[in-house]
Amino acid sequence: MKFVLFYLPTVGTKAQFEKGMAGINNQNYQNMLRQISAQVRAADEMGFYAVAFTEHHFHIEGFEASNNPLLLDLYMAMQTKYIKVTQLANVLTFQNPIRLAEDIAMIDHMTRGRIIVGIARGYQKRWADTLGQLYHVGATLSDKSEMDIRNRRIFEEHYRIMIKAWTEDTFRYEGEWWKIPPDDVDFNHEAVRKYGRGIDERGKVVEIGIAPKPYQKPYPPIWQPFSFSEETFRFCGREGIVPFMLNTDETAIRNLMTAYYDEAAKVGRQYSWGQNIGIFRDVLVAKTDEEAHQWASIGNGFVWPMWFGGLGFDEALRRQGESGSLRCQYPELVERGFEYVGSPDTVNRYIEDLVKKFNPEYLLMWQYPGLVPHEEQMRSLELFATEVMPNWMD
């Protein structure tokens, strides 16, 4: 198994959150950068596989102050030697796919192949509907609504453009939203004729290409979080993308994995059970179960019910056949199996059960700097690396 640290990141302590507007406090942000840097440097030395950041905007409250995960990736990569960096995820629907393909290729070179690409569709309406105005698209809840269908079409078009940009020296593309290059672009330049390509005999641009191409060939690995949708898992199976799931219900997990492998097999990809699959859990280790739950209850125990539960994440914890509304607090997160929290022995037993049932290739581990004191986070990483991780590494 490969172990991946996931940072939102939160900005501020619980007391600072409760005062309001913690996300715009400069010292809070500096403290976050300092603490996560120290944690990631330690994780690099301890042998963790990767560190991941998310993309969300307008987080004045402080919950997910991570506008650009690529910048955070580069910042952490420049301080480390081995640990891979990823984004969970770049929200493709609201970005210029050519610019994003270029940025990723550059960072792939700057890190000499330590980057993994993360892609997603976007679910938070406050920022997604604001930034999606150009394409007249907004957030999606995978509900088969008109907006959900439009969001998926734009997402897949942007994905196709990025793949072409990475894999073809020069390319053309004509889709529902993009025509690359547009008609009648005049660039009758002798240097292009002598040293490049992509213009016709009239000097009109007929193809474009990005430079550099990715360091990794044909392009970096691609991951996708955190869909509950079978359609997304089938898309990932066709494309060889690693999906990450929040689900805790065993039947739901099994059904999504089966859909993934069924679709992969249709295009000739054969995987063993658990291969190319990621599971997402809140992970915190302390000397005793009681101490670990004390800290986790002010980490995810605060953030989940205050922020994520109201954004639809409770659905990931729904049991097969269960009806009615969910509003999960920390005890429900524990009881439903999302919290891998406790002593090293307890966390080992959680992972042992996970391996027996699903054997995922990746475990994504939620971390809470700021809310959980830095020294407790560092102690958790050390306990996990020395007393848990060696039992399960590939």
Side-chain angles (χ1 to χ4, degrees):
M1 187 180 291
K2 301 177 180 73
F3 297 96
V4 182
L5 301 177
F6 179 66
Y7 290 93
L8 291 171
T10 46
V11 173
T13 65
K14 188 171 183 289
Q16 289 165 339
F17 268 74
E18 290 170 342
K19 291 178 182 178
M21 302 293 281
I24 66 171
N25 183 298
N26 281 354
Q27 190 58 53
N28 287 351
Y29 195 82
Q30 287 295 313
N31 288 341
M32 177 274 292
L33 290 176
R34 176 180 57 82
Q35 290 177 10
I36 293 182
S37 293
Q39 290 169 31
V40 174
R41 289 195 301 269
D44 184 45
E45 295 177 357
M46 294 173 184
F48 283 86
Y49 183 74
V51 59
F53 299 97
T54 188
E55 180 194 350
H56 287 299
H57 302 269
F58 312 153
H59 272 273
I60 54 177
E61 301 85 5
F63 287 109
E64 300 181 83
S66 186
N67 305 332
N68 189 329
L70 287 171
L71 285 180
L72 286 167
D73 277 356
L74 183 59
Y75 185 63
M76 297 303 161
M78 295 299 98
Q79 302 179 60
T80 55
K81 295 180 180 179
Y82 308 110
I83 196 167
K84 295 181 184 295
V85 292
T86 187
Q87 322 85 50
L88 292 176
N90 300 292
V91 184
L92 296 196
T93 317
F94 312 105
Q95 298 212 38
N96 181 312
I98 302 174
R99 287 294 304 272
L100 184 58
E102 290 177 327
D103 290 349
I104 289 168
M106 289 177 65
I107 296 179
D108 198 25
H109 277 271
M110 292 172 183
T111 63
R112 293 195 179 185
R114 281 198 280 149
I115 195 169
I116 299 164
V117 179
I119 59 175
R121 295 175 59 206
Y123 69 93
Q124 289 190 20
K125 289 180 67 66
R126 177 172 62 174
W127 74 262
D129 289 15
T130 301
L131 299 186
Q133 293 178 78
L134 179 63
Y135 303 108
H136 305 286
V137 69
T140 177
L141 295 175
S142 296
D143 55 4
K144 307 298 183 184
S145 65
E146 182 179 344
M147 183 60 76
D148 174 55
I149 293 168
R150 183 181 180 88
N151 178 293
R152 187 178 291 280
R153 293 205 313 267
I154 294 175
F155 167 83
E156 292 198 13
E157 181 162 313
H158 285 192
Y159 170 78
R160 301 294 172 203
I161 291 168
M162 290 174 62
I163 297 298
K164 288 181 77 69
W166 286 332
T167 58
E168 299 179 24
D169 291 347
T170 60
F171 71 96
R172 298 176 56 81
Y173 180 88
E174 187 164 354
E176 192 171 355
W177 285 273
W178 285 88
K179 185 170 186 178
I180 302 170
D183 292 331
D184 296 322
V185 175
D186 191 356
F187 199 67
N188 194 12
H189 201 299
E190 183 63 20
V192 177
R193 295 188 188 280
K194 290 183 68 173
Y195 308 122
R197 73 186 199 200
I199 59 174
D200 64 15
E201 65 280 356
R202 302 170 300 151
K204 301 294 184 181
V205 179
V206 293
E207 290 190 337
I208 60 98
I210 69 165
K213 299 297 181 187
Y215 183 86
Q216 300 174 79
K217 301 301 179 189
Y219 46 82
I222 301 178
W223 292 355
Q224 184 168 353
F226 295 113
S227 180
F228 322 142
S229 161
E230 181 179 317
E231 187 175 358
T232 294
F233 273 75
R234 291 189 178 278
F235 167 78
C236 289
R238 291 192 300 273
E239 299 297 327
I241 294 169
V242 175
F244 283 77
M245 65 180 83
L246 288 88
N247 303 70
T248 56
D249 180 79
E250 292 180 11
T251 301
I253 295 172
R254 196 170 300 276
N255 288 344
L256 290 173
M257 289 176 65
T258 299
Y260 178 81
Y261 293 133
D262 285 350
E263 204 68 25
K266 293 177 184 178
V267 294
R269 292 192 177 91
Q270 299 295 330
Y271 297 111
S272 58
W273 185 249
Q275 186 181 359
N276 238 42
I277 293 290
I279 299 286
F280 181 32
R281 295 291 182 263
D282 187 31
V283 180
L284 195 147
V285 188
K287 291 183 178 180
T288 67
D289 290 353
E290 293 75 18
E291 184 182 357
H293 283 295
Q294 172 192 342
W295 296 120
S297 68
I298 65 170
N300 197 37
F302 170 67
V303 173
W304 186 288
M306 186 60 65
W307 186 252
F308 290 104
L311 294 171
F313 274 39
D314 283 335
E315 289 302 309
L317 308 184
R318 187 178 294 280
R319 297 189 174 104
Q320 197 78 3
E322 184 177 21
S323 60
S325 62
L326 292 179
R327 195 65 176 169
C328 294
Q329 302 292 322
Y330 185 68
E332 288 76 32
L333 295 174
V334 175
E335 191 267 334
R336 289 172 181 263
F338 191 73
E339 300 295 311
Y340 283 18
V341 170
S343 68
D345 184 57
T346 296
V347 175
N348 270 307
R349 288 199 302 270
Y350 282 133
I351 296 176
E352 180 181 24
D353 184 65
L354 182 69
V355 169
K356 284 181 178 178
K357 292 171 180 173
F358 305 111
N359 197 30
E361 185 171 351
Y362 303 94
L363 178 64
L364 183 66
M365 304 165 51
W366 211 338
Q367 307 295 296
Y368 280 102
L371 293 171
V372 176
H374 175 60
E375 59 273 16
E376 301 303 332
Q377 288 270 195
M378 292 288 280
R379 188 173 295 115
S380 174
L381 290 174
E382 182 177 4
L383 285 170
F384 190 92
T386 57
E387 299 189 35
V388 180
M389 192 160 66
N391 298 321
W392 309 107
M393 288 184 70
D394 296 337

